[in-house]
Amino acid sequence: MRMTSGKQTGIPGIAACVGGAALLGIAACGSDVVIDAPHASAGGASTSSVSSVGSSASSTGGAGGSSTTTAATSGGSSASNTGGAGGSSTSTAAASVGTSASASSAGGAGGASSSAAASTSGGGGGCNDTTSDPSNCGACGHDCLGGACVASACQPIQLATSLSPMNIAVNATDVYWTDNIKGVTSVPVEGGAPTVLTSTGAVALALGTDHVYYMTAVGIQMTPLGGGPSTKFEPGDANVTFSGLAVDATSIYWADNGKKGLFKIPIGGGATFTLTTMGGSQLNSVIIDATSLYWINGGPMGTIQKIPIGGGPVTTLAAGLTYPWRFAMDADTLYWCNAATINNLGSVMRMAKSGGSPTILAAGQDSPFDVAVDGTHVYWVNVASKTVMRAPKGGGVATVLATGPNEGTEIAIDAAAV
């Protein structure tokens, strides 16, 4: 689903949606626009009109002429006039929410003068309705990105459908997902016609600068982001059970449950390098930063471990976790879901990449599955309750961004949406 903060990504099948709660409250800002401001002239008329933040306008009518001034702004405005001899003067000022407006006029000798000022009340930003206005949903400037606003909450928008969506990722322009029946597909983040990149059933995927990398039954492959011929890297065989994929500028990294290990191969092709065969039987997520590869061993006593991306000793960061599943990271912290096996016993966790004690960010979750993070919040999907959630990264109240018609399993975010 694209949620506004949110774009929502799919609650299968795929709902790469836009809705829910926009990630960023992006306020629309006006610019200074001078429509017309002629000089006064004898026997003529003078008209001045200005629209901007904190604008003002003034004009003086010529002898026997009239003077009209209008100022409109989102931050307080003023307008003043002086009518010419025998002329008239009209001044109007309008300001938006929570601002002030003033208007003044002075008629010339034998002329008439009138003034008007208008200002709306309420909290700033130029909006009056935050309960149903999709441009100001829940807060002024919070845009639903094309979705409806209901009871101050942005509603999801379906971007595409898919038979059996698996993983999802997003870049600046498109949403990508795998389908273990149909392959890899993309759709523009703002909506549009989906593009089928490959028709070979696929599972995990990762986005590079120019290519999308994905796992199939016949190996690890890459395809240009806009579509084109596929390149195969690692052939599949009877012992291969791919379960996690990551990519950086030089290499592709993956987890293999069948071979019970972590591996990498150069992006330009070459020999496969074994990072470790210490992986468990439920490898289900891998992630990398500039120095290390991190992975999850699932199960009732799950672990999170890491290894240098060039190879080296394995470090166990956390153990005794209850069915840990997907995870995400920022500069110094890991975030993951403990799915649990009983409803409302799941949790969303965090811990430093360097190790230490894990911290619970959200307890009592209904089978949390996948997680994403931005500069301020952690986002996740609860499979059993069909909800998209978020909570502050530093801890705080978890809130529901959207409830889907189906069970959501994967999540991705960009700067505007979930």
Side-chain angles (χ1 to χ4, degrees):
M1 302 165 55
R2 211 179 169 223
M3 299 194 29
T4 73
S5 227
K7 265 169 224 173
Q8 295 180 78
T9 127
I11 292 177
I14 198 170
C17 289
V18 185
L23 289 176
L24 303 178
I26 303 174
C29 298
S31 58
D32 292 342
V33 179
V34 178
I35 300 174
D36 187 13
H39 295 287
S41 60
S46 176
T47 301
S48 180
S49 179
V50 177
S51 176
S52 70
V53 176
S55 63
S56 62
S58 62
S59 61
T60 301
S66 63
S67 176
T68 302
T69 298
T70 301
T73 181
S74 62
S77 62
S78 62
S80 62
N81 284 298
T82 302
S88 63
S89 174
T90 301
S91 185
T92 303
S96 66
V97 178
T99 62
S100 61
S102 62
S104 62
S105 298
S113 173
S114 65
S115 300
S119 177
T120 59
S121 61
C127 63
N128 295 312
D129 175 16
T130 59
T131 61
S132 61
D133 181 357
S135 297
N136 300 284
C137 190
C140 291
H142 185 247
D143 198 305
C144 289
L145 306 178
C149 178
V150 177
S152 298
C154 291
Q155 302 303 297
I157 294 174
Q158 181 173 287
L159 293 182
T161 59
S162 188
L163 291 176
S164 183
M166 300 292 290
N167 287 175
I168 188 167
V170 62
N171 62 17
T173 60
D174 295 279
V175 180
Y176 299 80
W177 70 95
T178 58
D179 186 305
N180 66 358
I181 297 173
K182 294 182 65 175
V184 180
T185 306
S186 69
V187 67
V189 294
E190 70 275 7
T195 299
V196 177
L197 301 178
T198 173
S199 58
T200 302
V203 285
L205 86 164
L207 296 182
T209 304
D210 302 309
H211 292 80
V212 55
Y213 301 83
Y214 54 97
M215 295 174 163
T216 74
V218 296
I220 295 173
Q221 302 187 55
M222 74 174 186
T223 297
L225 292 177
S230 295
T231 301
K232 185 186 296 184
F233 286 91
E234 176 71 6
D237 59 42
N239 296 318
V240 170
T241 309
F242 295 130
S243 54
L245 184 68
V247 63
D248 63 16
T250 63
S251 302
I252 305 166
Y253 306 80
W254 71 94
D256 186 333
N257 269 323
K259 295 181 178 179
K260 296 181 172 55
L262 285 298
F263 307 90
K264 76 172 185 176
I265 192 170
I267 264 184
T272 296
F273 178 77
T274 300
L275 290 169
T276 178
T277 54
M278 292 177 63
S281 60
Q282 295 190 47
L283 294 163
N284 55 33
S285 186
V286 298
I287 195 169
I288 57 172
D289 61 16
T291 62
S292 300
L293 172 71
Y294 305 80
W295 72 95
I296 290 176
N297 283 315
M301 295 295 288
T303 61
I304 292 178
Q305 297 176 286
K306 72 175 182 179
I307 191 172
I309 57 176
V314 172
T315 301
T316 298
L317 298 175
L321 305 174
T322 307
Y323 293 95
W325 208 246
R326 303 280 196 265
F327 61 176
M329 68 167 64
D330 58 20
D332 53 17
T333 306
L334 296 170
Y335 305 83
W336 72 92
C337 296
N338 289 332
T341 56
I342 301 175
N343 289 353
N344 299 316
L345 289 183
S347 59
V348 179
M349 310 283 291
R350 72 172 184 182
M351 74 175 300
K353 288 181 180 179
S354 57
S357 299
T359 300
I360 296 176
L361 284 176
Q365 298 304 298
D366 217 358
S367 301
F369 190 87
D370 193 17
V371 65
V373 63
D374 64 13
T376 59
H377 289 82
V378 180
Y379 305 80
W380 67 95
V381 286
N382 283 329
V383 174
S385 61
K386 304 176 183 178
T387 53
V388 179
M389 309 288 296
R390 83 169 180 178
K393 284 178 18 175
V397 177
T399 57
V400 178
L401 294 181
T403 300
N406 301 307
E407 296 177 346
T409 57
E410 307 288 338
I411 190 169
I413 63 174
D414 63 12
V418 180

